[in-house]
Amino acid sequence: MKLARINLFILIFLSMMKDHHCEPVWNLAFNKSASQSKKFGRNVAQNSVDGNDGPVPSHGSCSDSVGLIKHKPWWEVDLAQDYYIKGVAISQSNYNPVYKYLTHNFTIDIYGENKTIDDAILCYYQEEQAEMSQTKLYLCVKTIKGRYVRITVHGQPGDNEHVMFCEVKVFGSYESVSNFVKMEGTEIANEPFATRNLSGIAECAMRCHALSKCHVFTVKRMSDIYKCKIYTTTFLVANSTGNPDEVIFIL
């Protein structure tokens, strides 16, 4: 058992060193072309990739597509070329949850260049309603190669649903990456599941790898130790440009 743990530690460490030489994941959606099934008011699709994730729709920072659920209202961003996509962060509005503006019962689908939505691969599905004014990172079930990212609300038959976001960030890279990779230009808002003082990045990766619920960890150098934080749910800081003292890795 001890030998197996050492081998696991070495494999994770080597894969992380390899990934340090690859491009880190970053937000691919910023200022890219966006569209939606139907515009509602002045809340155009492009508002959700303008870099402003302020939660107040009346300030012009959110998109909104509305329609009967039989038409499956959707929002989509064109990344201009194929990338290897790890996850999608969605910023919700500050509207009261009793209204149907907070995303619920939705899918995130990805399809590639010269493909159609019928060829899309499911990145993530969530049934419960998102939280108001929160930015949550949804990690794909696996890394997916694609150019188009579509978010569709399914809802209940006969319902009139909104697809409203105040920002959508698509995290990925040019190259296919495996295991843990660095996440650029963002910070984590919620409290970690666990915090440990460890000897290095690879040891923190091993702790995360051993916990099935862990998909993100951060590392901060503190003189002769590393402060390791492990997360099982991830909310991002609004309008963050990143914390230079803390490195974020996603699985």
Side-chain angles (χ1 to χ4, degrees), residues 85-86 121-123 139-144:
I85 298 167
K86 294 283 287 185
I121 298 173
L122 177 67
C123 162
L139 290 178
C140 297
V141 292
K142 62 179 181 179
T143 300
I144 300 172

Side-chain angles (χ1 to χ4, degrees), residues 124-212:
Y124 196 93
Y125 167 72
Q126 176 161 312
E127 184 174 0
E128 64 270 19
Q129 190 176 57
E131 297 183 40
M132 61 186 293
S133 302
Q134 290 279 12
T135 298
K136 185 173 181 180
L137 174 64
Y138 301 95
L139 290 178
C140 297
V141 292
K142 62 179 181 179
T143 300
I144 300 172
K145 183 180 180 181
R147 169 175 173 171
Y148 303 93
V149 178
R150 179 176 292 197
I151 303 169
T152 306
V153 169
H154 298 273
Q156 298 298 318
D159 281 356
N160 203 44
E161 294 279 4
H162 289 261
V163 185
M164 174 178 277
F165 317 116
C166 295
E167 192 71 12
V168 176
K169 298 176 181 178
V170 178
F171 291 99
S173 62
Y174 289 111
E175 302 177 21
S176 177
V177 292
S178 60
N179 297 310
F180 296 99
V181 292
K182 288 173 64 176
M183 189 174 180
E184 294 286 326
T186 191
E187 296 176 64
I188 297 178
N190 54 305
E191 291 299 312
F193 174 79
T195 301
R196 299 284 186 272
N197 291 329
L198 303 173
S199 60
I201 297 174
E203 188 176 356
C204 188
M206 185 175 71
R207 296 293 182 98
C208 183
H209 192 277
L211 182 66
S212 60

Side-chain angles (χ1 to χ4, degrees), residues 6 9 33 44 59 61 64-65 75 101 107 116 121 128 133 200 215-216 221-222 228 239 249:
I6 292 172
F9 183 93
S33 177
V44 298
H59 292 175
S61 61
D64 187 5
S65 178
W75 178 96
Y101 289 96
T107 54
T116 70
I121 298 173
E128 64 270 19
S133 302
H215 58 262
V216 174
R221 183 70 182 267
M222 308 283 290
C228 167
N239 287 321
F249 292 90

Side-chain angles (χ1 to χ4, degrees), residues 1-16 179-180 196 198-214 216-219 228-230 249 251:
M1 179 63 71
K2 185 175 181 180
L3 180 60
R5 287 179 61 85
I6 292 172
N7 287 338
L8 175 63
F9 183 93
I10 293 171
L11 285 172
I12 294 173
F13 180 79
L14 290 176
S15 69
M16 288 179 65
N179 297 310
F180 296 99
R196 299 284 186 272
L198 303 173
S199 60
I201 297 174
E203 188 176 356
C204 188
M206 185 175 71
R207 296 293 182 98
C208 183
H209 192 277
L211 182 66
S212 60
K213 295 184 293 183
C214 177
V216 174
F217 70 91
T218 67
V219 178
C228 167
K229 296 179 182 178
I230 290 173
F249 292 90
L251 177 59

